[in-house]
Amino acid sequence: MQTPVTRSFAKSIALFERAVDVIPGGIYGHNSPAATMPGCSPYYAERASGARYWDVDGNEYIDLLCGYGPIVLGHHHPEVEEAADRQRRAGNTFNHPAPVMVELAERLVNLVDFAAWAVFGKNGSDMTTWALQVARESTGRKKILKSAGAYHGSHAWCTPGHGGLIEEDYAHIHAFPWNDLEAFNDLVKRHQGQIAGVIVTAFHHPAFGDSQLPAPGFHAGIQETCRREGIVLILDDVRSGFRLHPGGSHRFFGFEPDLICFSKAIANGHPLSAALGRAELKRAASRVFLTGSFWNSAPPMAAALATLGIIERDQVIEKMAASGARLREGMQAAAKRHGRSIRYTGPDAMPFLTFAEETNFYLSQAFCREAVRLGVYLHPHHNWFLSAAHENAEIEETLRVADAAFAALADVPRGTFA
Amino acid sequence: MSASFADTLAHLHLAAVLPALEDLVRLSPPAAELARGWNFPLRLRLRGGPQATIVPRDGSIAVTLDPPPRGALTLNFLSARQLNRTFLRQPALPPAPTGALWHLFQLQRFTKLTQRLDAALQPTREALRDPAVMERHLQLLFKVLIGALPVLAAHDPVAGHTLASTPPGVGAIRMDGLGLRGWMRWDGRRLVAAPGDAPSPPDVQISFRDAPTASAALRGELDAMAAVGLGQIQIRGLIPLADGLSVAMDRVESYLKPAT
């Protein structure tokens, strides 16, 4: 593992300079440098293995972002890659789905307790938006409730972006504060009889904000109201799916939705999403048009089958929880050693660190910038992810780097970016 | 409730464009000459709506949104449409004067000043080849932008919707290549903005590396995301606040189109 005094991102920048000529923004979306630490972190990756990756300048990192979640077993897991390759050798995108689609649907329906059927797409947004439509088809109603600040994808009804939107895109989308059951019920009352669905995440994980676990009774209260009012309860498990419970994060938090959306970790980095639902919603689901050129591509489905099998066989979720607990204890101890009060939020497999003395992320940016410089990729504004590949060695190295990063904050005056 | 497009534009003309006269007289000797010895308050008022007053100050003029002092000549616009068309030099009924009518003969100076402001805010491409014209143009654009932000936050539906989910805080903008600084404070309901250094440590700092970048940004010609990635714009701190403010800034173009 290299420990340079400084890291060069010359090749990243050179690539980016080419990119801006032919790609709007250079890099768009959540990967945009504007959302992280421009000029102080890599822009392009070249290869990865296990818990590590290398950028185009040859800098090596312990990956605490895992591709923003998809890498749950570690980069390039040999069994997953072999399963995908085997399918790819047989064929990729046909005129028809491959048998693996049926196998995967059966596997997922067996895994998720309330589910009777499954559909597939490519991204989380595909499924969350489709789930809203199923709710509207099933109920004949228009309105959707979501928690304020929650991220459900990039489509117009929920995008955190601003361009190209019209008021009609979100006219029937209403938000309530996370963990505020009273506000939720007030909102339901205000729009009584008009609400098709409620979409919630398993825990609250806004960008630029601390993660918040559900308060006791929060999800159960939403579920109860939804059942009473005939509202479809949708769990957006895109981010947390297969990191808290193999059968869906609702099992971890003790409630039961009507629809659940998966993506990210489902296939260890291969592009795939899925939505599952109750038997009662199958007919409505069959009436909502659902398709995409690559949605039935077979290799990611084969990868997903392999991934789900490994998650169960190797007790991956328990592993990540244990690694995550060690990371949390070490981070908290390191912060204390350096006189820093931190907020370490979210489940241990998906933690997020902020500094209690600030709300503007100056220290977070300085901390993560230093961690990147020392070889651990941490994000200052987005929750982190562990994978099964983050074993003791990676956790210890991460903590050593974190200790140095906390120490470096002593040189950062408040309110600046050093 | 969001105002109509015309109402918002009227607010912008009075609260953002007209105050740029202060900078114009500072930057343009002919404009300074027109303003020299200005000796009466001239109020522009939209019936049931906003107002702005040009007042004498230190041998020149200033523009205030406060109620006018005594002795003002008031030009009354009956509708936002009438006011906007007047500002845009489109055919419109002249405003009805009230108050200190004996100052009516001085309106010629006001007309000439606003003509110069127009030319400085919307110069021709040929004129912009002169660096002095470009610099004055950018300084005025910046002043208009700062003045426009509170109006858009209050009245533009797109800016309002975005800011509703923008965290509160203080933002500071620096365009060192042009010697321009400004700040804005969003408290969750109201946006305040002014030129100069922020009155308290900012939660987000937006810095433009050089004059060409600042110029492109002010003239709506910049791919901002690309510029951030290239280091031409630096954003430190509360990025969502910068994001919300930038949406509001982008909305200026929907109302006050730059010269093409």
Side-chain angles (χ1 to χ4, degrees):
Chain A
M1 171 88 175
Q2 56 178 322
T3 53
V5 174
T6 58
R7 291 197 165 214
S8 168
F9 303 111
K11 288 185 179 172
S12 263
I13 299 295
L15 259 174
F16 189 77
E17 286 169 349
R18 285 168 54 192
V20 298
D21 280 343
V22 292
I23 300 173
I27 300 172
Y28 42 81
H30 64 286
N31 293 136
S32 167
T36 58
M37 298 164 283
C40 306
S41 64
Y43 291 7
Y44 296 93
E46 187 158 87
R47 61 187 177 92
S49 178
R52 297 170 190 270
Y53 77 99
W54 288 258
D55 67 21
V56 292
D57 288 281
N59 300 308
E60 180 183 338
Y61 305 93
I62 293 178
D63 187 358
L64 264 292
L65 206 54
C66 296
Y68 288 81
I71 306 304
V72 68
L73 303 179
H75 289 283
H76 222 73
H77 191 286
E79 290 176 68
V80 174
E81 295 312 303
E82 172 50 31
D85 284 344
R86 196 179 318 121
Q87 175 62 63
R88 194 176 297 115
R89 286 192 290 271
N92 183 359
T93 302
F94 303 100
N95 298 328
H96 325 282
V100 69
M101 179 184 185
V102 179
E103 294 161 28
L104 182 59
E106 288 171 339
R107 178 65 187 262
L108 283 167
V109 167
N110 279 334
L111 261 179
V112 179
D113 50 358
F114 68 88
W117 51 264
V119 298
F120 301 102
K122 278 293 158 212
N123 301 286
S125 297
D126 302 333
M127 296 292 102
T128 55
T129 296
W130 183 80
L132 258 61
Q133 290 180 270
V134 172
R136 285 170 167 159
E137 177 66 21
S138 165
T139 62
R141 303 172 187 168
K142 290 183 183 177
K143 294 197 176 291
I144 300 293
L145 305 191
K146 61 184 276 289
S147 66
Y151 179 77
H152 294 296
S154 60
H155 292 184
W157 69 271
C158 60
T159 177
H162 313 294
L165 294 178
I166 56 176
E167 287 172 275
E168 287 81 357
D169 289 326
Y170 43 82
H172 294 292
I173 311 297
H174 306 278
F176 58 92
W178 175 262
N179 269 342
D180 192 339
L181 203 50
E182 191 178 335
F184 166 75
N185 283 319
D186 283 347
L187 199 54
V188 171
K189 209 177 193 175
R190 202 178 315 149
H191 301 290
Q192 194 152 29
Q194 301 176 63
I195 301 169
V198 176
I199 183 164
V200 289
T201 48
F203 69 96
H204 195 46
H205 41 70
F208 298 95
D210 293 327
S211 294
Q212 298 175 56
L213 299 181
F218 178 62
H219 280 308
I222 291 178
Q223 179 185 329
E224 184 190 330
T225 298
C226 286
R227 297 281 186 269
R228 185 181 67 242
E229 300 289 330
I231 298 169
V232 176
L233 178 55
I234 303 164
L235 172 58
D236 176 353
D237 213 14
V238 167
R239 195 176 300 191
S240 47
F242 309 111
R243 275 194 163 82
L244 301 179
H245 192 286
S249 299
H250 61 287
R251 300 281 300 276
F252 185 84
F253 289 114
F255 69 104
E256 194 170 279
D258 302 306
L259 291 168
I260 187 168
C261 303
F262 293 118
S263 187
K264 288 195 186 287
I266 193 173
N268 201 45
H270 289 263
L272 186 70
S273 59
L276 287 82
R278 293 186 177 285
E280 298 91 322
L281 293 173
K282 193 177 179 194
R283 194 156 157 263
S286 72
R287 291 197 297 261
V288 179
F289 189 64
L290 174 69
T291 205
S293 295
F294 304 101
W295 285 19
N296 294 333
S297 160
M301 294 185 179
L305 273 173
T307 299
L308 294 174
I310 295 165
I311 286 173
E312 189 178 341
R313 183 193 73 199
D314 294 354
Q315 297 181 300
V316 162
I317 289 173
E318 289 81 356
K319 252 184 164 173
M320 288 189 293
S323 300
R326 282 198 301 281
L327 183 65
R328 171 175 44 79
E329 287 158 10
M331 283 286 188
Q332 288 170 338
K336 193 171 178 184
R337 266 198 306 280
H338 294 280
R340 293 289 177 178
S341 176
I342 62 170
R343 292 186 294 258
Y344 199 85
T345 57
D348 284 341
M350 305 167 59
F352 186 46
L353 184 152
T354 57
F355 289 83
E357 65 185 273
E358 68 171 11
T359 54
N360 54 26
F361 294 92
Y362 282 123
L363 287 173
S364 287
Q365 289 158 7
F367 177 79
C368 293
R369 190 271 310 265
E370 185 67 6
V372 167
R373 191 181 74 81
L374 296 172
V376 174
Y377 193 85
L378 297 175
H379 199 299
H381 314 128
H382 189 291
N383 71 268
W384 311 336
F385 295 87
L386 271 76
S387 74
H390 290 88
E391 298 187 332
N392 276 341
E394 283 76 24
I395 299 298
E396 291 308 314
E397 195 172 331
T398 298
L399 290 173
R400 275 197 299 277
V401 164
D403 192 79
F406 279 122
L409 291 180
D411 299 330
V412 178
R414 176 76 196 279
T416 65
F417 186 95
Chain B
M1 180 184 286
S2 297
S4 70
F5 181 93
D7 289 333
T8 303
L9 183 57
H11 275 278
L12 286 170
H13 278 139
L14 292 178
V17 176
L18 201 65
L21 280 176
E22 294 179 358
D23 298 69
L24 179 70
V25 300
R26 182 173 48 82
L27 296 167
S28 162
E33 186 58 36
L34 282 168
R36 186 168 293 118
W38 190 282
N39 61 0
F40 73 102
L42 173 64
R43 175 168 64 163
L44 283 73
R45 178 172 64 181
L46 173 60
R47 183 176 65 175
Q51 63 179 1
T53 306
I54 302 168
V55 296
R57 185 169 297 166
D58 301 331
S60 184
I61 61 167
V63 179
T64 176
L65 305 181
D66 294 333
R70 287 174 171 277
L73 168 64
T74 298
L75 300 179
N76 297 283
F77 295 88
L78 298 179
S79 71
R81 184 171 185 270
Q82 181 192 13
L83 185 149
N84 292 332
R85 289 181 73 86
T86 303
F87 269 79
L88 293 168
R89 306 212 178 279
Q90 294 168 357
L93 274 175
T98 56
L101 298 178
W102 51 91
H103 290 304
L104 270 173
F105 74 97
Q106 294 201 64
L107 280 183
Q108 265 195 15
R109 280 206 285 168
F110 171 67
T111 302
K112 287 180 182 173
L113 267 173
T114 55
Q115 283 171 345
R116 287 195 168 272
L117 183 61
D118 270 353
L121 282 172
Q122 306 232 324
T124 62
R125 281 211 178 276
E126 295 79 57
L128 282 173
R129 290 199 191 104
D130 181 341
V133 171
M134 174 63 94
E135 187 177 333
R136 185 171 61 222
H137 172 61
L138 295 174
Q139 299 234 2
L140 292 171
L141 277 186
F142 186 77
K143 179 68 179 279
V144 170
L145 176 73
I146 295 293
L149 286 176
V151 173
L152 293 168
H155 300 290
D156 177 64
V158 173
H161 175 78
T162 300
L163 286 168
S165 57
T166 296
V170 174
I173 295 183
R174 298 171 62 126
M175 298 182 171
D176 287 337
L178 295 173
L180 296 172
R181 293 189 189 194
W183 63 273
M184 52 274 333
R185 182 190 296 120
W186 167 244
D187 67 3
R189 278 193 288 193
R190 192 164 155 257
L191 182 71
V192 171
D197 289 325
S200 58
D203 296 291
V204 67
Q205 301 180 77
I206 306 165
S207 305
F208 292 76
R209 186 175 71 187
D210 50 39
T213 304
S215 165
L218 286 169
R219 290 175 52 74
E221 296 165 352
L222 189 70
D223 180 340
M225 299 294 272
V228 172
L230 290 170
Q232 294 166 345
I233 301 176
Q234 288 187 342
I235 303 178
R236 310 289 194 231
L238 193 57
I239 291 174
L241 177 58
D243 201 32
L245 294 173
S246 77
V247 169
M249 289 185 224
D250 286 346
R251 290 296 295 164
V252 175
E253 197 180 336
S254 299
Y255 297 91
L256 302 170
K257 293 182 180 20
T260 54

